Amino acid sequence: MSPRSTQSDQQPTRAVGLAQLSLLDTAPPDLVLIAAEAGFDFVGARVRPVTPTERPYDLHPGSPMLAGTLRNVRSTGVRVLDIEFLLMDGRGEDGTGQREAWLRMLEAGQALGAETMTVAGADPDPARFADNLAQMAEDGRGFGITPTLEPISYQRINSLGSAAAAARAAGAQVVVDTLHFRRFGGTLAELAGIADLVPLLQLCDAPADRPADREGLIHESRAARLAPGEGGLGLAEIVAALPGRTPVSVEAPSPADVVRLGELGWARRLRETAQNVLTEAAGLAAPVSNAVPNGAPA
């Protein structure tokens, strides 16, 4: 029986998705099919690569890959909920800014039917960052897409407070990743306090101990995460701090596990373990506000 058919009756409205980063080398048309087979409700699509070595996916209007992705969306019912990823540094690859890049992302996202676009803040100029995020939010309204600012432990916007303040001022939202939430020392009270800004929670696990340096944080984030519930981040209480309708996207990149289990095997593993965490979260009482910074709850 598939995970989709075994979800608790207490959680009928929570959608569970598969993030592109969990299967970074899987093209979006195939990602949709794998997500459907594993029991996911939606996927996130990588419409812009983050690193020079990353495989680019052309999902812009008119591309064969877009057509194939939409064909599989229609046949499976697994939709594209979010797109990613833009690191907002204020300069862009040619030093002239990044608006053209995010407009192309928004165009692809609209074609895919996405609702949100994930970005992160690395701009050393706070005023320029605020202006750009506000312009992006304004542009996004024309495409039906809201920017979601992700606080990342090794970037300039690296706390719930800074992300929420910037998002509220710009008319954007905040996407929270359980790994970064623990690594920058977020608290459950902070998370519950910005729940109105959070349209999506990214779910993964990791050891409780924080990597020693920035390079370690980057490696863990991009290639060494664990399946939900298989680490020490205390995921259930994070999930429970947000409303029960908040969608969860499983973002757990682990190339070694993909090699060991195969793409579909890893996706099934992530869906099964995510459901275990969601079931545990549903049974929790109101969350407490204390947590050990950079690690698991006390």
Side-chain angles (χ1 to χ4, degrees):
M1 185 177 294
S2 71
R4 187 179 300 191
S5 62
T6 61
Q7 292 181 36
S8 168
D9 292 339
Q10 297 178 349
Q11 298 177 351
T13 58
R14 187 191 295 278
V16 182
L18 180 64
Q20 177 78 72
L21 192 57
S22 294
L23 291 173
L24 187 58
D25 293 329
T26 303
D30 296 327
L31 184 70
V32 172
L33 295 178
I34 289 170
E37 182 69 18
F40 288 96
D41 303 300
F42 67 88
V43 298
R46 196 93 150 185
V47 300
R48 186 175 187 276
V50 175
T51 67
T53 59
E54 210 172 290
R55 179 184 176 186
Y57 299 123
D58 182 2
L59 290 164
H60 292 92
S63 71
M65 186 169 287
L66 172 64
T69 302
L70 293 178
R71 184 166 53 249
N72 291 346
V73 164
R74 289 190 295 269
S75 68
T76 64
V78 171
R79 61 169 299 194
V80 177
L81 183 63
D82 60 293
I83 59 168
E84 59 178 24
F85 181 85
L86 182 66
L87 183 63
M88 297 177 66
D89 61 14
R91 298 178 298 273
E93 296 175 357
D94 59 3
T96 62
Q98 295 179 292
R99 191 179 182 208
E100 182 60 31
W102 78 60
L103 286 173
R104 285 181 58 78
M105 292 177 68
L106 290 168
E107 184 179 43
Q110 183 183 52
L112 289 163
E115 295 180 1
T116 62
M117 178 175 74
T118 303
V119 301
D123 195 334
D125 184 334
R128 180 175 60 188
F129 174 75
D131 289 344
N132 281 335
L133 188 60
Q135 181 65 63
M136 182 187 294
E138 181 179 341
D139 289 338
R141 283 189 282 274
F143 292 88
I145 296 174
T146 302
T148 50
L149 179 58
E150 180 180 355
I152 293 179
S153 55
Y154 50 84
Q155 299 293 357
R156 287 185 177 271
I157 300 295
N158 60 1
S159 70
L160 291 183
S162 60
R168 287 194 193 279
Q173 294 178 310
V174 176
V175 61
V176 178
D177 184 296
T178 54
L179 174 66
H180 294 302
F181 175 80
R182 291 302 192 193
R183 295 307 184 227
F184 58 60
T187 69
L188 301 178
E190 285 181 300
L191 181 57
I194 67 164
D196 63 304
L197 282 178
V198 181
L200 180 70
L201 177 68
Q202 294 177 341
L203 192 69
C204 74
D205 221 326
D209 291 338
R210 189 180 194 270
D213 53 28
R214 188 174 189 272
E215 289 70 25
L217 288 169
I218 293 173
H219 172 72
E220 177 185 58
S221 175
R222 294 180 178 173
R225 303 193 192 197
L226 301 177
E230 297 186 349
L233 298 186
L235 299 181
E237 66 174 9
I238 303 176
V239 173
L242 293 170
R245 292 177 179 269
T246 305
V248 168
S249 178
V250 185
E251 184 171 271
S254 177
D257 282 309
V258 175
V259 169
R260 181 171 61 89
L261 299 174
E263 295 170 317
L264 179 57
W266 182 233
R268 284 175 166 160
R269 178 76 175 166
L270 295 179
R271 185 62 183 88
E272 176 186 5
T273 56
Q275 188 58 48
N276 293 339
V277 170
L278 297 181
T279 300
E280 181 183 355
L284 291 181
V288 296
S289 61
N290 60 307
V292 177
N294 304 326

